[in-house]
Amino acid sequence: MSVDVALFYLFAAMATASAVAMVVNVRNTVAAAMSLVICMVSLAGIYVVLEAHLIAVVQIMVYAGAIVVLFIFVVMLLNLRQDSFPPGRMRGLKFLGSLAGLWFLARFLATQAEYLPQTVALEEGFGGYRHLGMALFTDYLLAFEATSLLLLAAIVGAVILAKRRLDT
Amino acid sequence: MIPIEHVIGLSAILFTVGTLGALTRRNLIVILMSIELMLNAVNLAFVGFARAWGDLGGQIMVLMVITVAAAEVAVGLGIVIAMFRNRDSVNIEDVSLLKW
């Protein structure tokens, strides 16, 4: 087993464990956010192994650096260190439903396994900033500009939602 | 060489864990985190297929998904703050007005 394959399984185990830890941690919201950071960083490691270097950098900057900090900021702003919620209704049923969904995905993957692509050899620099930038600003320029519009709408929406009164 | 089946399998596991969190937790902030986890699982599948085909389209799509996730978190946490101001709680059982 080569180094990158071993790293893939190590990061995969870390990501799964921290994701489960995030979901089952019912007492401390900040600890759940920290588990989410571990999951994001593990996924960034997997992206590096899968030759998506720029995506890995963006993953760490945006997810671990911005989104989770925003979560922790809101948790601390609302002073929610301990949450004491009663258990939800039909918990076992929802758990079984999720497991059934996983079983369905596994069966689907097993039946489609022969149609999955064979892994090809890559050209030099695949997934680096040069290749990705060239693709982003030529073939996918319209989508790129549309995301700028989306971010503008999100900024305006977030300010209006969090504002105390609209007319002042 | 990492088998594509294992990448997609990990993606399916993470998506299931995220679904489970979004369905069973009561804390609105943790539900938003679970949705982030589901988006990340989809990103992992995109990157895996981009590696297998040697096509950059999947990685471009991941950049778009990350942008949408950032916008979603900004608006979602704005809703959380507005809800906390009105109801003094982040329990989703307290905001069931639009539930059937």
Side-chain angles (χ1 to χ4, degrees):
Chain A
M1 187 186 283
S2 61
V3 176
D4 57 341
V5 178
L7 275 178
F8 171 77
Y9 291 114
L10 175 70
F11 282 130
M14 273 174 64
T16 310
S18 57
V20 172
M22 186 199 86
V23 169
V24 302
N25 186 344
V26 294
R27 294 191 56 82
N28 193 332
T29 313
V30 176
M34 286 302 156
S35 302
L36 189 64
V37 173
I38 299 174
C39 185
M40 301 299 178
V41 173
S42 312
L43 281 174
I46 290 177
Y47 293 164
V48 170
V49 175
L50 289 173
E51 308 286 338
H53 304 288
L54 186 69
I55 301 290
V57 174
V58 170
Q59 167 90 2
I60 288 185
M61 279 200 300
V62 174
Y63 270 113
I67 290 183
V68 179
V69 169
L70 205 59
F71 273 118
I72 292 176
F73 185 75
V74 169
V75 169
M76 293 188 169
L77 191 72
L78 305 183
N79 202 9
L80 298 172
R81 280 191 303 270
Q82 305 283 325
D83 56 358
S84 51
F85 297 127
R89 285 165 294 165
M90 297 190 295
R91 251 185 157 166
L93 195 62
K94 287 167 177 170
F95 184 72
L96 284 179
S98 294
L99 283 186
L102 184 63
W103 180 81
F104 173 77
L105 282 175
R107 288 300 309 151
F108 183 72
L109 195 63
T111 52
Q112 302 295 313
E114 57 187 307
Y115 304 110
L116 284 174
Q118 296 296 312
T119 305
V120 298
L122 294 176
E123 54 188 311
E124 184 69 29
F126 178 84
Y129 66 92
R130 188 180 300 272
H131 277 61
L132 212 55
M134 284 294 288
L136 193 59
F137 289 107
T138 53
D139 295 342
Y140 300 94
L141 185 63
L142 184 64
F144 180 77
E145 294 295 336
T147 52
S148 67
L149 208 63
L150 173 73
L151 281 178
L152 180 68
I155 292 168
V156 176
V159 168
I160 287 183
L161 279 172
K163 210 166 187 291
R164 194 169 288 273
R165 272 204 308 274
L166 281 181
D167 50 348
T168 53
Chain B
M1 198 68 76
I2 297 148
I4 179 82
E5 296 90 345
H6 293 184
V7 180
I8 308 302
L10 175 63
S11 169
I13 290 171
L14 286 181
F15 194 87
T16 308
V17 173
T19 315
L20 189 60
L23 284 178
T24 57
R25 295 298 303 271
R26 308 282 94 188
N27 186 338
L28 187 52
I29 296 179
V30 178
I31 288 175
L32 276 176
M33 286 188 211
S34 302
I35 293 172
E36 291 303 311
L37 193 61
M38 291 157 80
L39 286 170
N40 267 284
V42 175
N43 280 352
L44 180 64
F46 270 127
V47 170
F49 278 120
R51 170 69 188 86
W53 263 301
D55 187 349
L56 273 176
Q59 298 194 9
I60 302 280
M61 194 68 200
V62 171
L63 284 178
M64 303 298 161
V65 171
I66 287 177
T67 317
V68 172
E72 176 240 322
V73 163
V75 175
L77 288 177
I79 292 175
V80 170
I81 289 178
M83 171 186 161
F84 191 80
R85 190 176 289 137
N86 287 327
R87 302 285 164 112
D88 218 19
S89 155
V90 289
N91 191 338
I92 53 161
E93 296 288 335
D94 294 339
V95 274
S96 52
L97 200 61
L98 285 180
K99 218 170 159 183
W100 69 89

